[in-house]
């Protein structure tokens, strides 16, 4: 479930993508438009056919064709079991008559195993490009992680030689999350990759790749601090300016792997940017720890209590423990707090459906829960 303005009228709508694990079943994407605080299904919004997905992993909302209205990119890795055949990623563009069209034909036509995606103008030509976070690339088994370059109208081609070859080499590990953000303050977008934690002897940790200003990237050595153990995997990265110095810092949700026994779970790292793209672990200074159960895979920064400071939410994907975990920001630190929005479901999203400026909730049954005030 992804909330955003999908019809250009200034309010929050809802995009739903579905999957059935370890099957080849395909599902049409679903769009619900906000009409006066009601979410109304809009299958007729598409001018022709509605695109399908099989195992969507990431959704990016951005204006890819430059018309001022948000478009949709869905990363999809397809059937998640051997032989991992991959699946075609999906692109939906807005049209001049207010409808949407399936523009997937404007993407590279390839069955890839895409685990993440990130969007931004990497080459300074004022259109939005894409990073495609393919996993297990560099061999005949799949496509490597790569940039797709926008022609300005929402048509994309593979950007050859944009990232170093060793980043795409299978024997060097894989990256589960990607983030485009200016980490060194030179006004272009750099790339941060969260390592999957594969216990390969040559496997790198998470990486920072600096943009030369023309959309070509090189690895910044020793830019990311170590995780608790090398086999831990980074599931989600979010930017935030911790100390108001203008340099974007990071929060990372990391899954703990125990190959030799122990208790699985996850933890959050708070990473401070020195202004040049080198990060240090300052978790103890900013975050009060708490146990995070296995199956947690999403980290969000939202102002839940309307005090002007971002709070932290860790969300699970496991139906056996669907409730989120919340840390509320006060006095320069995030402290655990029981959430007060009574979710109790696995699928939900935050959106302002009634236009009053605070965050409401919608669950997987499309029930809307109005925010009556957090304080």
């Amino acid at each position: 479930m992804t909330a955003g303005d999908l019809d250009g009228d200034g309010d929050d709508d809802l995009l739903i993508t579905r999957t059935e694990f370890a099957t080849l079943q395909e599902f049409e994407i679903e769009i619900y438009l906000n009409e006066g605080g009601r979410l109304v299904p809009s299958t007729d919004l598409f001018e022709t056919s509605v695109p399908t997905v099989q195992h969507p992993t990431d959704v990016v909302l951005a204006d890819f064709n430059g018309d001022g209205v948000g478009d949709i990119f869905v990363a999809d890795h397809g059937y998640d079991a051997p032989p991992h055949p991959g699946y075609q990623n999906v692109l939906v563009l807005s049209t001049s008559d207010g409808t949407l069209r399936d523009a997937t034909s404007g993407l590279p036509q390839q069955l890839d195993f895409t685990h993440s995606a990130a969007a931004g103008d990497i080459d300074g030509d004022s259109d939005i490009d894409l990073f495609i976070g393919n996993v297990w690339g560099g061999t005949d088994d799949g496509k490597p992680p790569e940039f797709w370059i926008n022609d300005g109208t929402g048509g994309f081609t593979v950007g050859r030689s944009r990232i170093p070859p060793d980043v795409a080499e299978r024997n060097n590990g894989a990256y589960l999350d990607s983030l485009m953000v200016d980490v060194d303050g030179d006004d272009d977008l750099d790339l941060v990759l969260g390592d999957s934690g594969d216990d390969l002897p040559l496997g790198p940790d998470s990486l920072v790749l600096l943009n030369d200003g023309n959309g070509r990237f090189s690895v910044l050595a020793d830019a990311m601090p170590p995780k608790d153990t090398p086999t831990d995997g980074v599931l989600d990265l979010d930017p935030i300016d911790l100390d108001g110095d203008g340099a974007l810092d990071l929060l990372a949700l990391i899954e703990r792997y125990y190959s030799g026994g122990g208790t699985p779970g996850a933890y959050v790292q708070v990473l401070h940017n020195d202004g040049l793209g080198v990060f240090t672990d300052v978790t103890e200074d900013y975050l009060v720890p708490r146990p995070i159960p296995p199956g947690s895979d999403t980290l969000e920064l939202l102002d839940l209590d309307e005090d002007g400071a971002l709070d932290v939410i860790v969300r699970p994907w496991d139906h056996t423990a669907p409730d989120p975990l919340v840390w509320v920001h006060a006095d320069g630190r995030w402290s655990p707090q029981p959430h007060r929005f009574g979710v109790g479901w696995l699928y939900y999203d935050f959106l302002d459906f009634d236009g009053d400026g605070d965050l409401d909730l919608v669950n997987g049954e499309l029930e809307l829960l109005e925010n009556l005030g957090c304080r």
Side-chain angles (χ1 to χ4, degrees):
M1 305 180 72
T2 305
D5 184 5
L6 302 176
D7 56 1
D9 65 355
D11 57 27
D12 283 339
D13 309 301
L14 190 68
L15 169 70
I16 294 179
T17 57
R18 302 184 185 273
T19 185
E20 185 171 331
F21 181 71
T23 75
L24 296 174
Q25 187 169 352
E26 298 178 342
F27 298 86
E28 291 184 346
I29 68 172
E30 302 170 34
I31 290 179
Y32 293 80
L33 294 182
N34 188 339
E35 297 185 0
R38 296 173 57 248
L39 292 176
V40 178
S42 299
T43 55
D44 59 352
L45 194 61
F46 285 89
E47 60 179 16
T48 54
S49 61
V50 181
T52 59
V53 295
Q54 190 176 88
H55 200 311
T57 55
D58 208 351
V59 174
V60 177
L61 303 181
D63 181 10
F64 294 114
N65 59 3
D67 65 354
V69 180
D71 306 305
I72 302 165
F73 175 80
V74 182
D76 195 323
H77 67 40
Y79 182 65
D80 194 14
H84 298 103
Y87 197 79
Q88 175 67 49
N89 294 322
V90 168
L91 178 66
V92 175
L93 296 178
S94 57
T95 68
S96 59
D97 62 5
T99 62
L100 299 175
R101 68 180 180 90
D102 183 357
T104 303
S105 61
L107 298 177
Q109 300 298 290
Q110 57 190 45
L111 303 179
D112 40 22
F113 203 50
T114 308
H115 271 64
S116 73
D121 179 11
I122 66 167
D123 48 10
D125 62 356
S126 300
D127 56 35
I128 305 299
D129 309 300
L130 282 164
F131 176 76
I132 306 300
N134 293 328
V135 169
W136 302 129
T139 74
D140 292 339
D141 295 330
K143 299 294 182 180
E146 57 194 8
F147 277 101
W148 291 356
I149 305 303
N150 193 344
D151 65 4
T153 68
F156 291 84
T157 55
V158 176
R160 304 295 180 188
S161 304
R162 296 282 178 170
I163 57 177
D166 56 347
V167 175
E169 169 58 46
R170 176 170 183 161
N171 289 333
N172 283 351
Y175 304 93
L176 291 181
D177 196 42
S178 54
L179 179 68
M180 278 206 273
V181 64
D182 180 11
V183 299
D184 56 358
D186 62 355
D187 296 323
D188 57 35
L189 291 175
D190 308 300
L191 179 66
V192 183
L193 298 178
D195 179 34
S196 70
D198 300 290
D199 53 353
L200 300 171
L202 299 179
D205 214 323
S206 299
L207 294 179
V208 172
L209 291 90
L210 297 183
N211 189 344
D212 67 358
N214 297 308
R216 300 190 182 278
F217 293 77
S218 59
V219 174
L220 178 62
D222 302 319
M224 294 290 277
K227 299 163 291 187
D228 284 0
T229 63
T231 56
D232 293 349
V234 177
L235 300 176
D236 203 0
L237 293 162
D238 280 72
I240 184 174
D241 185 357
L242 292 170
D243 49 10
D245 64 354
L248 287 175
D249 311 296
L250 296 174
L251 265 67
L253 176 63
I254 302 175
E255 187 170 14
R256 181 178 293 113
Y257 293 114
Y258 285 99
S259 57
T263 304
Y267 56 96
V268 174
Q269 265 190 341
V270 183
L271 306 177
H272 181 262
N273 185 354
D274 69 354
L276 299 176
V278 176
F279 293 85
T280 55
D281 188 340
V282 293
T283 307
E284 291 185 0
D285 297 331
Y286 285 93
L287 187 89
V288 178
R290 71 189 300 181
I292 301 176
S296 300
D297 71 341
T298 303
L299 185 150
E300 293 177 292
L301 292 168
L302 297 170
D303 184 5
L304 292 175
D305 53 3
E306 303 169 44
D307 65 350
L310 294 175
D311 309 302
V312 176
I313 303 173
V314 170
R315 294 171 52 168
W317 62 266
D318 189 343
H319 69 279
T320 62
D323 286 334
L325 300 177
V326 174
W327 287 257
V328 171
H329 190 275
D331 300 322
R333 287 170 62 84
W334 286 291
S335 299
Q337 179 172 307
H339 65 76
R340 291 172 284 174
F341 35 84
V343 178
W345 336 286
L346 181 55
Y347 301 109
Y348 58 93
D349 205 357
F350 295 89
L351 75 167
D352 180 11
F353 69 81
D354 52 7
D356 64 354
D358 58 28
L359 293 172
D360 309 302
L361 273 169
V362 59
N363 66 15
E365 303 299 324
L366 295 182
E367 297 171 328
L368 294 168
L369 285 81
E370 184 181 359
N371 186 345
L372 299 178
C374 292
R375 284 184 284 184

